[in-house]
Amino acid sequence: MDYSIKIGGEAGQGIQTIGDLLAHIFSKAGYYVFTHQDYESRIRGGHNFYQIRFSDKPVSASKRKIHLLLALDKESIPLHFEELDSTGQVLYDSSHLKDKFEDPRFLDVPLFEIARTKGGSPITANTVAVGAVIGMLGMSPEIMYDLLKKTFYKKGKEVLEANLRAAEEGYNYAKEKCLACNFSLASFSESKYLITGTEAIGIGALSANVKFYAAYPMTPSTGIFNFIAEHAEEFNIMVEQAEDEIAAINMIIGASYAGVRSMTGTSGGGFALMVEGLALAGMTETPIVIVLAQRPGPATGLPTRTEQGDLLFALFSGHGEFPKIVFAPGTPEQALHLTNKAFDLAEKYQVISIILIDQYLADSQWSYSKIDTSRLIYKNYRLTGEELQKIEVYKRHLFTETGISPLGIPGTSTHLIITDSDEHDEEGHLIEDAEIRKKMVEKRLFKKLSLIKKEISQPLFYGAEDPEIVLICWGSLYGIVKEVVDILKKDHPVCMLHFSEIYPFSEDKTWQRLLEKAKLVINIEQNATSQFARLLKMETGLTIKHHINKYDGRPFLIEEMEEKIRGLIKGF
Amino acid sequence: MASLKDFKGLTPAWCPGCGNFAILKAFNEAMVELNINPHEIVIVSGIGQAGKFPHYTRCNTFNGLHGRTLPVATGIKLVNPNLKVIAVAGDGDCYGEGGNHLIHAIRRNVDIKLFVHNNQIYGLTKGQASPTSTKGMKTKTQPFGVISEPLNSLLLAIALDCSFVARGYAGKVEHLKSLIKEAILHKGFALLDILQPCVTFNKINTYEWYNQRVYFLDSFYDPTNKVLAFEKAMEWGDKIPLGILYKKEKNSFEEQIPVLKNGPLFERPYYLEKVKNLLEKFK
Ligand SMILES: Cc1ncc(C[n+]2csc(CCOP(=O)(O)OP(=O)(O)O)c2C)c(N)n1
Ligand code: SF4
């Protein structure tokens, strides 16, 4: 089984609530779930949708074909009817849409009428809709009731009971009336974890002991800010909404200097403002972590949509030459681990880690039967108190074999922690001396970078053992390329090479042989200029000739990517 | 006991006669008299002649970017309230490049002391007008003279209900020292604007010019009276008041943050178990 449900409607109609409830019901029931959202930059009106795919096998992307369309507005029908599978069903409320469809593929459920008679407010129609979907699918309603109880118990007994009654009635109505419904669900198994990219980054940061988060809200990074703020008290984290992104990055630099792990999150425009501060962190060797949640640019671009357009910007951000580490997780699980790693490496080498995500990964939900937490690490690299005092002559920017100087916490011993955005000596005082300048560049850049390369994993390989066709991708394209490989594998020896540790490249270069040997290498990116391919060429000298680029702000769908790749294979 | 020797830093590269020397002297003496040790202080500065200040005394130092002094200072104080955090800035640094940060730092009322070395000119970049330059002042980049109104930072700070607003003068070291001490002892954000003659580039606001005009607010002046404070802040020209213009008892920002109640955040324990438990909630 592999079903897709689409909930379409205007912003403000509760699409997200319905989608979120359904996704959680499926996940709790033990199905694998993948969801993605499509919304406009407005609070009310427009057309939005929430797409849920659920299956008894792992799923990691959305398909074009859907099996159930929940149309909350009139527009949803002409916009998405074509996507409906031949046996698919449309759920709508004719009194609300002011339109009646006599086609057996349409199920008219009086969502608002039921909500009213069951004692709920008009928003309770959303709960009726959830019940109706579960009824159409023929799923047992128990998990739904449990989840509704959890969701509504805070709102009081009356609201909770109205919602339970509404769900029950929606469920019974749909179950009885949907004669054409023909879904066959696999039997339930153990419930799954359901997590978004945003939540995974938040947990990754907590697992790395983040203690300070400052940011200025900007879609699609705001979810991370919300997540950290929600857990601030429990995990002893200081969060502050800065006056702008310039302040945000300077605040986290100050906080890191004062002794704690610090982080900020933003999108392209905000990151542009942070670039000055990025160089400050580079010069002062202050560890910081920045999440750059990409959205289509330039300027304000498409605020709520998705793109991978800022890779080279992130890589080259900051004036002058200094090292940074760039990660681009492809899944929430990778996001969790790479956020943990981003902090660890930032601290260990006293450098900047940038985590590149995009709207697609930020908002999409993935399910897992297990999430491996054994690799999560936390190691304190800072010196305090007696430990710091033991150093006879302390110098913040001491020249060492590794380029890594002792990072002391100010105020915890009589040693002074001195640093400067000007070029400085080992103690941290500003200088003009040519020889020291040269040594500082070598310390900050060459020595550290060669060590960091050893910490970077090779790209992830997936697919045929001896591949003739290699698909290269990075970041949030992981899930979709992986599923396309599964499809194409039946006809072609094809594999995926997915990069999530983007820069620097790993010291181990065995993966390059794969590219040299392959008959056809296709680079796939959600941008117009194949930025990763350019980086690849810069670092390895390898040129990729075939590219698939998408830059309309919408994520790839499986069928779409499959067609594009088949086209290239045929033409080859 | 801290002594002046403990605060001896690198030899200043300021012009002979620069007002910054007197500020340095007043600062070091104030620290010794308050018996504060160098390692208990963090001085955060930006870029400019004033920005070099922390290298010329001795304490923990974060010499950051032009205009970005206050956000860095805020980050430091918000994770370790035990540190005495002092922000040192030029008038260009703080009222120009960092103007937005000043407004919001005052609004937050984090316990940071901001000492502005106000020479009404850009020193380090060789004599362009600053936001406080006198109207009509001609420079290489203001060939027709300064046209914009000078920024009245004290008036702005009082309007924002800043908890401590004072003016000192490099030509009155003892008085300046007393203001520095009061600012340090004050709880909350303190703005101390210090008139600092730039003997090289500012030919209008010289020692002589200031000496003819400055006077001390007397002991009858009530700095808690906001209307009076506005009046004093608007006094500029023939007479320039020195002293604490405005003061207000307020909770500091960090006092109101539950997670800071137990001291510095780097001392908080870390539990991976707690994170794993949170993850279980996603099931
Ligand atoms: C982002 C940025 N812009 C410009 C400069 C150049 N700059 C250095 S100091 C300065 C102004 C100095 O004036 P002020 O802040 O009043 O300090 P002073 O030198 O007078 O003490 C400027 C514009 C810089 N360092 N950084
Ligand atoms: S240029 Fe002016 S402010 Fe700078 S050191 Fe010389 S006198 Fe002082």
PDB file of all heavy atoms in Angstrom, chain A residues 545-568:
ATOM      1  N   LYS A 545      28.550  16.969 -16.880  1.00  0.00           N
ATOM      2  CA  LYS A 545      27.946  17.513 -18.110  1.00  0.00           C
ATOM      3  C   LYS A 545      26.429  17.564 -18.052  1.00  0.00           C
ATOM      4  O   LYS A 545      25.803  18.367 -18.714  1.00  0.00           O
ATOM      5  CB  LYS A 545      28.358  16.661 -19.304  1.00  0.00           C
ATOM      6  CG  LYS A 545      29.828  16.840 -19.682  1.00  0.00           C
ATOM      7  CD  LYS A 545      30.036  16.396 -21.137  1.00  0.00           C
ATOM      8  CE  LYS A 545      31.468  15.943 -21.381  1.00  0.00           C
ATOM      9  NZ  LYS A 545      31.740  14.578 -20.911  1.00  0.00           N
ATOM     10  N   HIS A 546      25.837  16.663 -17.276  1.00  0.00           N
ATOM     11  CA  HIS A 546      24.372  16.580 -17.300  1.00  0.00           C
ATOM     12  C   HIS A 546      23.760  17.110 -16.019  1.00  0.00           C
ATOM     13  O   HIS A 546      24.176  16.719 -14.928  1.00  0.00           O
ATOM     14  CB  HIS A 546      23.938  15.139 -17.542  1.00  0.00           C
ATOM     15  CG  HIS A 546      24.518  14.583 -18.801  1.00  0.00           C
ATOM     16  ND1 HIS A 546      23.980  14.831 -20.032  1.00  0.00           N
ATOM     17  CD2 HIS A 546      25.627  13.831 -19.014  1.00  0.00           C
ATOM     18  CE1 HIS A 546      24.720  14.246 -20.963  1.00  0.00           C
ATOM     19  NE2 HIS A 546      25.732  13.641 -20.363  1.00  0.00           N
ATOM     20  N   HIS A 547      22.796  17.963 -16.205  1.00  0.00           N
ATOM     21  CA  HIS A 547      22.198  18.621 -15.037  1.00  0.00           C
ATOM     22  C   HIS A 547      20.687  18.612 -15.101  1.00  0.00           C
ATOM     23  O   HIS A 547      20.114  18.760 -16.166  1.00  0.00           O
ATOM     24  CB  HIS A 547      22.666  20.081 -14.956  1.00  0.00           C
ATOM     25  CG  HIS A 547      24.128  20.216 -14.827  1.00  0.00           C
ATOM     26  ND1 HIS A 547      24.769  20.284 -13.626  1.00  0.00           N
ATOM     27  CD2 HIS A 547      25.106  20.259 -15.772  1.00  0.00           C
ATOM     28  CE1 HIS A 547      26.071  20.374 -13.821  1.00  0.00           C
ATOM     29  NE2 HIS A 547      26.310  20.359 -15.115  1.00  0.00           N
ATOM     30  N   ILE A 548      20.088  18.430 -13.946  1.00  0.00           N
ATOM     31  CA  ILE A 548      18.647  18.643 -13.830  1.00  0.00           C
ATOM     32  C   ILE A 548      18.479  19.747 -12.795  1.00  0.00           C
ATOM     33  O   ILE A 548      18.944  19.610 -11.664  1.00  0.00           O
ATOM     34  CB  ILE A 548      17.930  17.353 -13.386  1.00  0.00           C
ATOM     35  CG1 ILE A 548      18.077  16.280 -14.479  1.00  0.00           C
ATOM     36  CG2 ILE A 548      16.453  17.638 -13.094  1.00  0.00           C
ATOM     37  CD1 ILE A 548      17.536  14.926 -14.076  1.00  0.00           C
ATOM     38  N   ASN A 549      17.874  20.820 -13.205  1.00  0.00           N
ATOM     39  CA  ASN A 549      17.701  21.949 -12.288  1.00  0.00           C
ATOM     40  C   ASN A 549      16.236  22.316 -12.189  1.00  0.00           C
ATOM     41  O   ASN A 549      15.530  22.335 -13.185  1.00  0.00           O
ATOM     42  CB  ASN A 549      18.473  23.173 -12.799  1.00  0.00           C
ATOM     43  CG  ASN A 549      19.950  22.902 -12.948  1.00  0.00           C
ATOM     44  OD1 ASN A 549      20.392  22.375 -13.967  1.00  0.00           O
ATOM     45  ND2 ASN A 549      20.708  23.242 -11.941  1.00  0.00           N
ATOM     46  N   LYS A 550      15.815  22.615 -10.997  1.00  0.00           N
ATOM     47  CA  LYS A 550      14.433  23.076 -10.809  1.00  0.00           C
ATOM     48  C   LYS A 550      14.498  24.336  -9.972  1.00  0.00           C
ATOM     49  O   LYS A 550      15.131  24.357  -8.917  1.00  0.00           O
ATOM     50  CB  LYS A 550      13.631  21.984 -10.107  1.00  0.00           C
ATOM     51  CG  LYS A 550      12.132  22.293 -10.013  1.00  0.00           C
ATOM     52  CD  LYS A 550      11.376  21.068  -9.501  1.00  0.00           C
ATOM     53  CE  LYS A 550       9.994  21.413  -9.018  1.00  0.00           C
ATOM     54  NZ  LYS A 550       8.950  21.304 -10.030  1.00  0.00           N
ATOM     55  N   TYR A 551      13.866  25.382 -10.449  1.00  0.00           N
ATOM     56  CA  TYR A 551      13.972  26.654  -9.729  1.00  0.00           C
ATOM     57  C   TYR A 551      12.666  27.450  -9.794  1.00  0.00           C
ATOM     58  O   TYR A 551      12.650  28.656  -9.916  1.00  0.00           O
ATOM     59  CB  TYR A 551      15.149  27.500 -10.255  1.00  0.00           C
ATOM     60  CG  TYR A 551      15.296  27.451 -11.758  1.00  0.00           C
ATOM     61  CD1 TYR A 551      14.623  28.345 -12.568  1.00  0.00           C
ATOM     62  CD2 TYR A 551      16.095  26.474 -12.353  1.00  0.00           C
ATOM     63  CE1 TYR A 551      14.736  28.281 -13.938  1.00  0.00           C
ATOM     64  CE2 TYR A 551      16.209  26.402 -13.728  1.00  0.00           C
ATOM     65  CZ  TYR A 551      15.534  27.313 -14.514  1.00  0.00           C
ATOM     66  OH  TYR A 551      15.628  27.247 -15.886  1.00  0.00           O
ATOM     67  N   ASP A 552      11.541  26.686  -9.741  1.00  0.00           N
ATOM     68  CA  ASP A 552      10.236  27.356  -9.733  1.00  0.00           C
ATOM     69  C   ASP A 552       9.720  27.525  -8.312  1.00  0.00           C
ATOM     70  O   ASP A 552       8.587  27.935  -8.100  1.00  0.00           O
ATOM     71  CB  ASP A 552       9.224  26.569 -10.585  1.00  0.00           C
ATOM     72  CG  ASP A 552       9.033  25.142 -10.090  1.00  0.00           C
ATOM     73  OD1 ASP A 552       9.674  24.772  -9.080  1.00  0.00           O
ATOM     74  OD2 ASP A 552       8.259  24.394 -10.708  1.00  0.00           O
ATOM     75  N   GLY A 553      10.528  27.153  -7.342  1.00  0.00           N
ATOM     76  CA  GLY A 553      10.124  27.322  -5.946  1.00  0.00           C
ATOM     77  C   GLY A 553       9.348  26.154  -5.383  1.00  0.00           C
ATOM     78  O   GLY A 553       9.026  26.126  -4.208  1.00  0.00           O
ATOM     79  N   ARG A 554       9.023  25.167  -6.247  1.00  0.00           N
ATOM     80  CA  ARG A 554       8.277  23.995  -5.803  1.00  0.00           C
ATOM     81  C   ARG A 554       9.214  22.803  -5.747  1.00  0.00           C
ATOM     82  O   ARG A 554      10.111  22.683  -6.576  1.00  0.00           O
ATOM     83  CB  ARG A 554       7.136  23.674  -6.778  1.00  0.00           C
ATOM     84  CG  ARG A 554       5.852  24.427  -6.520  1.00  0.00           C
ATOM     85  CD  ARG A 554       5.970  25.874  -6.889  1.00  0.00           C
ATOM     86  NE  ARG A 554       4.719  26.594  -6.676  1.00  0.00           N
ATOM     87  CZ  ARG A 554       4.607  27.902  -6.719  1.00  0.00           C
ATOM     88  NH1 ARG A 554       5.676  28.667  -6.920  1.00  0.00           N
ATOM     89  NH2 ARG A 554       3.448  28.490  -6.534  1.00  0.00           N
ATOM     90  N   PRO A 555       8.957  21.903  -4.801  1.00  0.00           N
ATOM     91  CA  PRO A 555       9.831  20.737  -4.719  1.00  0.00           C
ATOM     92  C   PRO A 555       9.588  19.777  -5.884  1.00  0.00           C
ATOM     93  O   PRO A 555       8.546  19.799  -6.507  1.00  0.00           O
ATOM     94  CB  PRO A 555       9.408  20.084  -3.394  1.00  0.00           C
ATOM     95  CG  PRO A 555       8.022  20.546  -3.153  1.00  0.00           C
ATOM     96  CD  PRO A 555       7.925  21.916  -3.749  1.00  0.00           C
ATOM     97  N   PHE A 556      10.587  18.966  -6.158  1.00  0.00           N
ATOM     98  CA  PHE A 556      10.441  17.901  -7.145  1.00  0.00           C
ATOM     99  C   PHE A 556       9.403  16.908  -6.654  1.00  0.00           C
ATOM    100  O   PHE A 556       9.306  16.625  -5.465  1.00  0.00           O
ATOM    101  CB  PHE A 556      11.749  17.122  -7.259  1.00  0.00           C
ATOM    102  CG  PHE A 556      12.749  17.714  -8.192  1.00  0.00           C
ATOM    103  CD1 PHE A 556      13.890  18.332  -7.705  1.00  0.00           C
ATOM    104  CD2 PHE A 556      12.585  17.610  -9.564  1.00  0.00           C
ATOM    105  CE1 PHE A 556      14.850  18.859  -8.557  1.00  0.00           C
ATOM    106  CE2 PHE A 556      13.540  18.131 -10.431  1.00  0.00           C
ATOM    107  CZ  PHE A 556      14.668  18.758  -9.935  1.00  0.00           C
ATOM    108  N   LEU A 557       8.645  16.330  -7.596  1.00  0.00           N
ATOM    109  CA  LEU A 557       7.813  15.177  -7.266  1.00  0.00           C
ATOM    110  C   LEU A 557       8.484  13.965  -7.906  1.00  0.00           C
ATOM    111  O   LEU A 557       9.243  14.100  -8.869  1.00  0.00           O
ATOM    112  CB  LEU A 557       6.394  15.361  -7.818  1.00  0.00           C
ATOM    113  CG  LEU A 557       5.640  16.552  -7.224  1.00  0.00           C
ATOM    114  CD1 LEU A 557       4.324  16.768  -7.960  1.00  0.00           C
ATOM    115  CD2 LEU A 557       5.390  16.345  -5.734  1.00  0.00           C
ATOM    116  N   ILE A 558       8.195  12.796  -7.363  1.00  0.00           N
ATOM    117  CA  ILE A 558       8.894  11.597  -7.812  1.00  0.00           C
ATOM    118  C   ILE A 558       8.752  11.371  -9.312  1.00  0.00           C
ATOM    119  O   ILE A 558       9.735  11.183 -10.029  1.00  0.00           O
ATOM    120  CB  ILE A 558       8.387  10.367  -7.023  1.00  0.00           C
ATOM    121  CG1 ILE A 558       8.853  10.498  -5.570  1.00  0.00           C
ATOM    122  CG2 ILE A 558       8.898   9.074  -7.636  1.00  0.00           C
ATOM    123  CD1 ILE A 558       8.420   9.367  -4.665  1.00  0.00           C
ATOM    124  N   GLU A 559       7.489  11.415  -9.798  1.00  0.00           N
ATOM    125  CA  GLU A 559       7.248  11.140 -11.221  1.00  0.00           C
ATOM    126  C   GLU A 559       8.016  12.115 -12.104  1.00  0.00           C
ATOM    127  O   GLU A 559       8.575  11.739 -13.137  1.00  0.00           O
ATOM    128  CB  GLU A 559       5.752  11.251 -11.540  1.00  0.00           C
ATOM    129  CG  GLU A 559       4.873  10.207 -10.859  1.00  0.00           C
ATOM    130  CD  GLU A 559       4.342  10.686  -9.504  1.00  0.00           C
ATOM    131  OE1 GLU A 559       4.991  11.552  -8.872  1.00  0.00           O
ATOM    132  OE2 GLU A 559       3.283  10.187  -9.074  1.00  0.00           O
ATOM    133  N   GLU A 560       8.046  13.366 -11.665  1.00  0.00           N
ATOM    134  CA  GLU A 560       8.686  14.423 -12.435  1.00  0.00           C
ATOM    135  C   GLU A 560      10.189  14.152 -12.573  1.00  0.00           C
ATOM    136  O   GLU A 560      10.758  14.233 -13.667  1.00  0.00           O
ATOM    137  CB  GLU A 560       8.434  15.732 -11.670  1.00  0.00           C
ATOM    138  CG  GLU A 560       9.088  16.948 -12.228  1.00  0.00           C
ATOM    139  CD  GLU A 560       8.991  18.115 -11.241  1.00  0.00           C
ATOM    140  OE1 GLU A 560       8.521  17.915 -10.094  1.00  0.00           O
ATOM    141  OE2 GLU A 560       9.413  19.219 -11.616  1.00  0.00           O
ATOM    142  N   MET A 561      10.805  13.795 -11.467  1.00  0.00           N
ATOM    143  CA  MET A 561      12.243  13.551 -11.526  1.00  0.00           C
ATOM    144  C   MET A 561      12.551  12.284 -12.319  1.00  0.00           C
ATOM    145  O   MET A 561      13.504  12.248 -13.097  1.00  0.00           O
ATOM    146  CB  MET A 561      12.835  13.469 -10.121  1.00  0.00           C
ATOM    147  CG  MET A 561      14.352  13.434 -10.187  1.00  0.00           C
ATOM    148  SD  MET A 561      15.125  13.291  -8.596  1.00  0.00           S
ATOM    149  CE  MET A 561      14.888  14.920  -7.935  1.00  0.00           C
ATOM    150  N   GLU A 562      11.705  11.295 -12.122  1.00  0.00           N
ATOM    151  CA  GLU A 562      11.911  10.043 -12.853  1.00  0.00           C
ATOM    152  C   GLU A 562      11.887  10.299 -14.365  1.00  0.00           C
ATOM    153  O   GLU A 562      12.767   9.846 -15.105  1.00  0.00           O
ATOM    154  CB  GLU A 562      10.808   9.044 -12.465  1.00  0.00           C
ATOM    155  CG  GLU A 562      10.974   7.696 -13.110  1.00  0.00           C
ATOM    156  CD  GLU A 562       9.703   6.847 -12.972  1.00  0.00           C
ATOM    157  OE1 GLU A 562       8.892   7.114 -12.063  1.00  0.00           O
ATOM    158  OE2 GLU A 562       9.538   5.931 -13.794  1.00  0.00           O
ATOM    159  N   GLU A 563      10.897  11.065 -14.817  1.00  0.00           N
ATOM    160  CA  GLU A 563      10.792  11.369 -16.250  1.00  0.00           C
ATOM    161  C   GLU A 563      12.032  12.086 -16.757  1.00  0.00           C
ATOM    162  O   GLU A 563      12.567  11.776 -17.814  1.00  0.00           O
ATOM    163  CB  GLU A 563       9.568  12.258 -16.512  1.00  0.00           C
ATOM    164  CG  GLU A 563       8.254  11.500 -16.508  1.00  0.00           C
ATOM    165  CD  GLU A 563       7.059  12.410 -16.197  1.00  0.00           C
ATOM    166  OE1 GLU A 563       7.155  13.637 -16.425  1.00  0.00           O
ATOM    167  OE2 GLU A 563       6.037  11.875 -15.707  1.00  0.00           O
ATOM    168  N   LYS A 564      12.482  13.061 -15.987  1.00  0.00           N
ATOM    169  CA  LYS A 564      13.649  13.852 -16.415  1.00  0.00           C
ATOM    170  C   LYS A 564      14.881  12.954 -16.562  1.00  0.00           C
ATOM    171  O   LYS A 564      15.651  13.085 -17.504  1.00  0.00           O
ATOM    172  CB  LYS A 564      13.917  14.961 -15.392  1.00  0.00           C
ATOM    173  CG  LYS A 564      12.859  16.051 -15.432  1.00  0.00           C
ATOM    174  CD  LYS A 564      13.513  17.411 -15.236  1.00  0.00           C
ATOM    175  CE  LYS A 564      12.629  18.518 -15.754  1.00  0.00           C
ATOM    176  NZ  LYS A 564      11.791  19.135 -14.715  1.00  0.00           N
ATOM    177  N   ILE A 565      15.066  12.077 -15.580  1.00  0.00           N
ATOM    178  CA  ILE A 565      16.252  11.222 -15.611  1.00  0.00           C
ATOM    179  C   ILE A 565      16.141  10.221 -16.772  1.00  0.00           C
ATOM    180  O   ILE A 565      17.089  10.020 -17.528  1.00  0.00           O
ATOM    181  CB  ILE A 565      16.454  10.490 -14.268  1.00  0.00           C
ATOM    182  CG1 ILE A 565      16.744  11.532 -13.182  1.00  0.00           C
ATOM    183  CG2 ILE A 565      17.602   9.491 -14.362  1.00  0.00           C
ATOM    184  CD1 ILE A 565      16.775  10.979 -11.778  1.00  0.00           C
ATOM    185  N   ARG A 566      14.964   9.639 -16.932  1.00  0.00           N
ATOM    186  CA  ARG A 566      14.777   8.701 -18.049  1.00  0.00           C
ATOM    187  C   ARG A 566      15.066   9.380 -19.378  1.00  0.00           C
ATOM    188  O   ARG A 566      15.659   8.791 -20.275  1.00  0.00           O
ATOM    189  CB  ARG A 566      13.360   8.130 -18.041  1.00  0.00           C
ATOM    190  CG  ARG A 566      13.166   7.052 -16.973  1.00  0.00           C
ATOM    191  CD  ARG A 566      11.913   6.227 -17.264  1.00  0.00           C
ATOM    192  NE  ARG A 566      11.480   5.453 -16.122  1.00  0.00           N
ATOM    193  CZ  ARG A 566      11.962   4.246 -15.800  1.00  0.00           C
ATOM    194  NH1 ARG A 566      12.890   3.682 -16.539  1.00  0.00           N
ATOM    195  NH2 ARG A 566      11.510   3.597 -14.749  1.00  0.00           N
ATOM    196  N   GLY A 567      14.659  10.623 -19.488  1.00  0.00           N
ATOM    197  CA  GLY A 567      14.915  11.396 -20.699  1.00  0.00           C
ATOM    198  C   GLY A 567      16.411  11.491 -20.978  1.00  0.00           C
ATOM    199  O   GLY A 567      16.874  11.293 -22.103  1.00  0.00           O
ATOM    200  N   LEU A 568      17.176  11.783 -19.950  1.00  0.00           N
ATOM    201  CA  LEU A 568      18.623  11.924 -20.118  1.00  0.00           C
ATOM    202  C   LEU A 568      19.273  10.579 -20.441  1.00  0.00           C
ATOM    203  O   LEU A 568      20.202  10.505 -21.239  1.00  0.00           O
ATOM    204  CB  LEU A 568      19.247  12.499 -18.838  1.00  0.00           C
ATOM    205  CG  LEU A 568      19.125  14.015 -18.667  1.00  0.00           C
ATOM    206  CD1 LEU A 568      19.616  14.443 -17.297  1.00  0.00           C
ATOM    207  CD2 LEU A 568      19.906  14.749 -19.758  1.00  0.00           C
TER     208      LEU A 568
END
